[in-house]
Amino acid sequence: MVDWRKRTVQSGDVTLAVFELGDEGAPPVMLVHGWPDTHHLWDQVAPALAKEFHVIAHDNRGAGESSRPGGVAGYHIAELADDLLTVADEVSPERPVHIVGHDWGSVLTWEAVSRHGAEKRIASFVSVSGPSLDQLGAWARENLSRPTPRRVATSLSQIASSAYTAFFHLPVAPRILLSFLGIPAVWRNFLKVTEGTPADRVSIAPTLRRDMISGVALYRANIVPHLSHPEPHPTTVPVLELVNHRDVALRPAIFEHTHRYVQRLWRRDTPTGHWLPHTHPEYLTEAARAFIGYQETGSLEKPAWSERTRLIGPPQAFSGRLAVVTGAGSGIGRETAYALAELGCEIVAADIDAVAAEETARECRAKTVPATAYALDVADSAGFAEFANTVQRDHGVPDIVVNNAGVGLAGGVLDATDEQIDRLLDINLRGVITGSRLFGRQMVERDLGGQIVNLASAAAFTPQRDLGVYSASKAGVLLFSESLRAELADHHIGVTAICPGIVDTAIVANTPIAGLGSDEQAARDRLVRFYQRRGFTPDKVARQIVAAIRSDKAVVPVTPEASVGYRIYRFAPWLSRQAARRRVAAPVPTRR
C-alpha cells in the first residue's frame, strides 16, 4: 500500500484529487494516468521514483476521487491539459515539472507540451502508449493521400487495433459491456489474457466501473475532431518516447513521424505491451529516472544510453538498440556490425584481433551510432564472462547478440589432432553456448525480450567426408539454438541459427586441412580460388541476418546450396548420405 499524501486542487469547475510522495524540495515529477486508470496506476512506479524526486499524481477529471463533469464537452483534451498545468502551478509554482504520461495521460500531455511556452513549465516528457492525436491524424492523412503497400498495411493494422474506439461511440452498448468489464476480477483477467499481466501487479481503484463508463467521453470528445482535422504543433520540450511493440491498441508505425514535431527526441523500442506501469514497472522507472536525471544534470551514468536513444531524423528499424557481435573483426561478423549500425544499433564489436575489432567499430561510428571494440577470445569462458559483465555495466543489456566467432577445420576426422579438435569445439560450439548463456541470462533478468543469433553452417545438415568435425560443431550449434529457442520463448527472446553455404571470407585462407602435410598450403590456395569464384560475399549473409532478426526466424539457410541441402536433409536424407561419400572440390568451412 502506497502512503500517498493527498490534497485537492481547483481547476475551473472541477476539483482534482492530487497525491504526492517524496521530498518536496526534490525535482518534481508528475505521473499522469489514462483510461480506465487512476493515480493507482503508478503504485509500483511512484515509490521508486520518490527516492530521488518529488512525485505528484492526480486523478484526471472523470476518474477516481476527482470531479466528474456531465456530458462530453468537459472531456476535451484541452480541458485535461489545463488541469495538468493547474496542478503543476499549484504543487510546483517555482520549478518546471517533469511528466511521465501513460495512455490518455500521454495524449493530454502532448497537448500541453505543444503549447507556446510549454518549456517554461514542463522540463521533460516521458510518453508511454499515448500518441499526440494531431500527430496521429497527420500520419493517417499522409498514408491515405500517398498510399504504398507498406502504408496500407500499417494503416489497416492500426485500424484493427483501434476498432474498440468506434465501439465506444455507440449509444448504449459501451455502458453494458463496461459494466461487466469494470468488475475488478474481470478486468484483471482481461489484462492477463491480452498482455500476460500478473493479477497481483494490477492496482485497481474502487471506482473502476464508474471510471470506465465516464471515461468513454474522452473518446467521444476527441477522437473524431483531432483525427479528421489534425493541427500538430512542434515542441521544444525534450521527449522520451517508449514504444511498445506488443501494444494491443497502438502499432509502432504510428510513432514514426514524431521526430518532425519534437526538437529533442529520444526513443526506446521494446517487445512490451500497453500497460507498462503494471507489467514492467522496474523498466519504466529506470527509463524515467535516467532520462529525467539527464535533463536535470546533463550527465548520465551510462552516456551511451543517451547517445543510442536520441533520434536525429526518422527512427531506423533498430534505433536505440544495443547489439553485440563476436568475430566482428572481419567477414560476416564485420558486415553484420555494419548492417546493424546502419539501422540505428549501438555496436559492441568483439574479436580476438583487437585492432580489427577497432577498425569495425570506427566504421560503425562513421554511420553516426556509438560503437566500442573489445578484444575477446570466445574459447576463454572466464574472459567471456568478464566481457559480458563489462558490456552490461558500461552499455546495458544487449537487445541483439550475434555469436559469430568461429574457426574451420577440413580434412579427414582420423587425421585431425586432439589439439585441432579441442580448439575447434571450444570456439565454434562452446563459444556459442557461452555467449548465449551469459547474455541470455541478462535478457531474462531484464525481462524485455531480445534476439540471439548463432552462426551455424550448411555443414550442419550436409554431411561431408572432409568436414566431419566441423560439421559436428555446427550441427551442435543448430540443435542448441533450436532448443534454446524453445527455452526462451516465454521470455520473448528469439533465437536464430544462421546456416550459410559457400561464402568468400578470410576463414578459408586460415583453415587447417588435416592429413595433407606439406601439400596443405597448395590445397588451401586452390580452395581460396574456388570460394572467390563462387562470389557469395559476407554482406549478403549480413542482410539475411538482419532479416532474420526482424522476423525472428528459427533457422535460416542462406546461400542457394544451403537452402537445397536443408530441404534434401529434411525430406530425403539418404541423398545427403550418398553425396557425403564423394570427395568434393572444396572441403572447407563456409563462414566468417
Side-chain angles (χ1 to χ4, degrees):
M1 193 70 178
V2 180
D3 188 19
W4 295 97
R5 303 188 301 270
K6 181 184 174 182
R7 69 162 88 176
T8 59
V9 171
Q10 198 68 26
S11 178
D13 296 332
V14 174
T15 301
L16 301 170
V18 179
F19 305 86
E20 299 173 73
L21 285 177
D23 181 2
E24 294 185 6
V29 177
M30 290 188 66
L31 306 178
V32 189
H33 70 83
W35 179 91
D37 302 302
T38 67
H39 72 283
H40 288 295
L41 172 74
W42 307 106
D43 280 357
Q44 296 180 80
V45 174
L49 287 178
K51 295 176 183 178
E52 298 181 44
F53 306 107
H54 175 204
V55 176
I56 307 127
H58 69 283
D59 289 343
N60 290 329
R61 58 173 63 199
E65 300 177 40
S66 292
S67 299
R68 299 173 185 270
V72 171
Y75 290 89
H76 289 291
I77 55 173
E79 302 286 345
L80 279 85
D82 288 342
D83 293 345
L84 182 153
L85 295 172
T86 298
V87 172
D89 289 340
E90 180 72 21
V91 178
S92 181
E94 304 296 331
R95 196 169 186 175
V97 298
H98 301 274
I99 299 177
V100 181
H102 175 260
D103 190 76
W104 277 97
S106 177
V107 173
L108 69 93
T109 303
W110 276 113
E111 166 72 18
V113 300
S114 299
R115 292 180 176 179
H116 179 71
E119 69 281 356
K120 297 176 183 178
R121 292 299 301 123
I122 302 175
S124 72
F125 172 33
V126 179
S127 171
V128 186
S129 293
S132 160
L133 291 183
D134 293 292
Q135 293 177 25
L136 177 59
W139 173 85
R141 276 194 167 191
E142 183 171 323
N143 281 6
L144 292 172
S145 62
R146 290 185 290 174
T148 64
R150 177 184 174 276
R151 286 177 172 175
V152 170
T154 56
S155 297
L156 290 175
S157 177
Q158 183 54 53
I159 289 171
S161 297
S162 301
Y164 70 97
T165 62
F167 174 77
F168 282 174
H169 283 75
L170 299 177
V172 179
R175 175 179 287 271
I176 296 173
L177 174 64
L178 296 177
S179 294
F180 171 71
L181 197 59
I183 300 172
V186 174
W187 181 241
R188 285 192 171 96
N189 191 59
F190 173 80
L191 295 183
K192 182 178 181 180
V193 170
T194 56
E195 295 199 345
T197 310
D200 60 355
R201 286 197 169 196
V202 181
S203 299
I204 293 179
T207 55
L208 176 63
R209 183 180 295 179
R210 284 201 304 156
D211 297 339
M212 279 190 169
I213 294 171
S214 61
V216 168
L218 289 169
Y219 296 86
R220 295 178 176 176
N222 298 292
I223 295 293
V224 173
H226 286 273
L227 295 188
S228 60
H229 298 90
E231 296 182 3
H233 297 285
T235 181
T236 58
V237 174
V239 177
L240 168 62
E241 200 166 48
L242 300 182
V243 179
N244 302 305
H245 282 240
R246 293 172 50 240
D247 195 314
V248 296
L250 303 166
R251 308 313 304 149
I254 68 174
F255 301 104
E256 62 187 8
H257 293 166
T258 308
H259 69 281
R260 297 179 179 178
Y261 310 102
V262 182
Q263 190 177 96
R264 292 180 290 168
L265 176 64
W266 286 255
R267 170 170 166 154
R268 294 185 74 175
D269 292 56
T270 52
T272 43
H274 185 80
W275 267 274
L276 205 61
H278 290 325
T279 59
H280 295 83
E282 299 86 0
Y283 161 61
L284 176 53
T285 299
E286 178 56 26
R289 187 196 67 79
F291 183 69
I292 294 168
Y294 180 66
Q295 303 306 324
E296 281 284 318
T297 65
S299 63
L300 202 65
E301 295 174 7
K302 295 184 177 70
W305 183 91
S306 178
E307 296 172 26
R308 181 166 77 243
T309 57
R310 184 164 185 180
L311 291 184
I312 307 296
Q316 300 296 318
F318 298 141
S319 290
R321 301 189 191 183
L322 172 65
V324 174
V325 183
T326 67
S330 63
I332 294 173
R334 171 171 282 181
E335 293 297 333
T336 300
Y338 291 166
L340 292 172
E342 288 175 354
L343 294 173
C345 275
E346 177 188 355
I347 301 297
V348 171
D351 198 280
I352 196 168
D353 184 342
V355 174
E358 179 53 42
E359 290 176 359
T360 299
R362 183 166 57 249
E363 184 64 27
C364 289
R365 288 193 291 269
K367 302 177 189 297
T368 70
V369 299
T372 310
Y374 291 90
L376 174 66
D377 179 0
V378 298
D380 177 4
S381 296
F384 210 146
E386 183 178 350
F387 165 72
N389 290 334
T390 299
V391 170
Q392 184 176 23
R393 183 191 67 228
D394 294 346
H395 305 273
V397 176
D399 304 286
I400 299 167
V401 173
V402 182
N403 290 304
N404 165 78
V407 295
L409 176 63
V413 172
L414 303 185
D415 295 319
T417 67
D418 289 345
E419 290 77 10
Q420 288 175 325
I421 293 173
D422 288 344
R423 178 172 180 269
L424 180 83
L425 294 178
D426 283 347
I427 294 173
N428 286 11
L429 182 56
R430 185 61 183 265
V432 168
I433 292 173
T434 300
S436 298
R437 293 175 70 219
L438 291 170
F439 289 115
R441 287 169 181 159
Q442 292 183 10
M443 290 177 178
V444 168
E445 183 178 358
R446 182 184 62 169
D447 194 26
L448 293 174
Q451 194 78 26
I452 297 172
V453 178
N454 295 328
L455 268 290
S457 168
F461 44 76
T462 51
Q464 299 175 47
R465 61 182 292 166
D466 297 304
L467 286 178
V469 180
Y470 181 81
S471 295
S473 71
K474 292 305 164 186
V477 170
L478 175 59
L479 266 295
F480 166 75
S481 299
E482 294 248 52
S483 301
L484 186 64
R485 181 180 179 87
E487 180 179 343
L488 298 181
D490 290 343
H491 300 282
H492 303 289
I493 299 171
V495 181
T496 299
I498 301 292
C499 302
I502 300 172
V503 180
D504 180 17
T505 68
I507 191 175
V508 182
N510 299 317
T511 293
I513 306 176
L516 289 187
S518 59
D519 296 329
E520 181 177 334
Q521 186 58 50
R524 188 183 296 110
D525 291 342
R526 290 195 298 273
L527 292 170
V528 169
R529 290 192 294 272
F530 174 82
Y531 275 63
Q532 289 174 340
R533 288 196 300 272
R534 171 66 175 84
F536 200 98
T537 51
D539 59 301
K540 297 178 181 177
V541 183
R543 288 198 291 271
Q544 294 278 357
I545 291 173
V546 169
I549 293 170
R550 283 179 163 181
S551 59
D552 184 25
K553 289 186 177 180
V555 179
V556 182
V558 175
T559 58
E561 65 273 11
S563 297
V564 172
Y566 186 54
R567 283 156 181 79
I568 290 175
Y569 192 71
R570 289 181 64 190
F571 301 112
W574 61 274
L575 284 176
S576 294
R577 299 186 192 109
Q578 289 294 323
R581 297 181 181 183
R582 301 179 59 187
R583 185 177 296 280
V584 297
V588 178
T590 57
R591 352 181 355 267
R592 243 63 71 203

